Amino acid sequence: MPAHYGGAAHRIFSSSSPVATQVLHAAGIALASKLRGESQVAAVMMGEGASNQGDVHEALNFAAIHRLPMVLLVENNGYAISVPAEKQVAVRDLAVRAAGYNMPGVIVDGTDVLSCYLAMRDAVARALAGEGPTFIEAKVTRLTGHSSDDQQTKYRTEEDLAAGRGHDPLPAFRDELRAAGLLDAAAEAAITAEVRGLVEDATDFAEAAADPDPATLTRHVYAEPG
Ligand SMILES: Cc1ncc(C[n+]2csc(CCOP(=O)(O)OP(=O)(O)O)c2C)c(N)n1
Ligand SMILES: [Mg+2]
């Protein structure tokens, strides 16, 4: 599936398809890190819809009890596919749930790059200091449908969609950098060209890659036959 990449070199685990299972994985990774005495933090992300899965409660409870070096970032975009937040959760701010685990619940404007950086920086410092996990809720807007199969105009009003437009963090951050005199047109063009090159190279690499051998289909799924 398109978003299910990982990268061992960058210590990025492959995303999980069943939503919220990754929070349990993160708690396990954070526990391993703590037991090994490594100075590492497990950062895990999910949506507000995923937050209602039982896995999240188990992971947060465990991480809080053992003061694990973990940061949970919930991207609250107000929708789980077509289900609006008010039909998923009885609270407006998911961060209030952190109190039930005796951990900080931080709300941040997820469309503001520097606010997100500061919230994550503080949470990582806390985790590294042995003070345990942090729950960050980033309020974001969903600019497009859930996927290319999804037509969000079928269940979102024009008013709702219009309110979200103009909250794309990338152009906003670009404008912030320009205003601060940190980005000029030449630097922006160079970054754009570099990123486009990286994406094109990765696309060429993927398209040229051989299909997986069907004989490997069940590898790492079932015990290998003796
Ligand atoms: C356990 C489980 N149930 C249902 C699904 C189907 N599903 C895929 S994405 C999704 C909505 C997720 O919403 P949210 O957590 O708010 O994330 P967003 O897509 O908004 O980032 C659902 C229900 C799934 N992948 N896993
Ligand atoms: Mg969502």
Side-chain angles (χ1 to χ4, degrees):
M1 290 181 73
H4 294 61
Y5 58 84
H10 301 292
R11 305 182 79 86
I12 298 173
F13 276 68
S14 60
S15 314
S16 60
S17 209
V19 299
T21 52
Q22 74 271 26
V23 192
L24 287 164
H25 304 162
I29 292 162
L31 176 66
S33 169
K34 186 174 177 173
L35 292 177
R36 290 175 181 159
E38 293 168 348
S39 193
Q40 288 176 347
V41 179
V44 59
M45 292 84 188
M46 66 178 187
E48 86 295 333
S51 73
N52 302 311
Q53 293 286 117
D55 313 50
V56 178
H57 167 65
E58 294 169 27
L60 291 181
N61 190 50
F62 189 84
I65 289 169
H66 298 285
R67 296 170 87 83
L68 298 182
M70 186 178 111
V71 181
L72 171 64
L73 174 68
V74 181
E75 292 171 61
N76 184 352
N77 64 3
Y79 286 89
I81 310 184
S82 58
V83 183
E86 60 270 21
K87 295 251 169 68
Q88 310 168 40
V89 273
V91 289
R92 188 179 163 84
D93 299 320
L94 289 157
V96 301
R97 289 180 172 177
Y101 303 98
N102 194 21
M103 67 173 76
V106 178
I107 298 176
V108 68
D109 176 358
T111 68
D112 183 74
V113 173
L114 294 180
S115 299
C116 292
Y117 170 76
L118 291 176
M120 188 55 95
R121 187 194 64 180
D122 291 350
V124 167
R126 207 177 158 266
L128 288 175
E131 292 169 22
T134 300
F135 184 122
I136 302 174
E137 176 183 8
K139 305 277 192 189
V140 297
T141 186
R142 202 182 74 183
L143 296 167
T144 62
H146 177 78
S147 70
S148 54
D149 294 339
D150 177 41
Q151 194 184 335
Q152 62 176 348
T153 48
K154 291 199 171 204
Y155 55 85
R156 291 182 70 178
T157 62
E158 183 45 45
E159 209 178 19
D160 179 22
L161 289 165
R165 286 187 210 112
H167 288 280
D168 185 340
L170 290 180
F173 190 49
R174 180 192 57 204
D175 293 348
E176 217 176 318
L177 291 173
R178 277 184 183 162
L182 296 168
L183 184 74
D184 60 20
E188 191 187 337
I191 292 170
T192 305
E194 186 191 343
V195 172
R196 182 160 293 151
L198 285 169
V199 172
E200 280 170 4
D201 287 352
T203 310
D204 291 346
F205 174 79
E207 284 177 349
D211 286 339
D213 178 357
T216 63
L217 186 67
T218 60
R219 188 178 291 166
H220 306 307
V221 177
Y222 300 108
E224 298 293 326

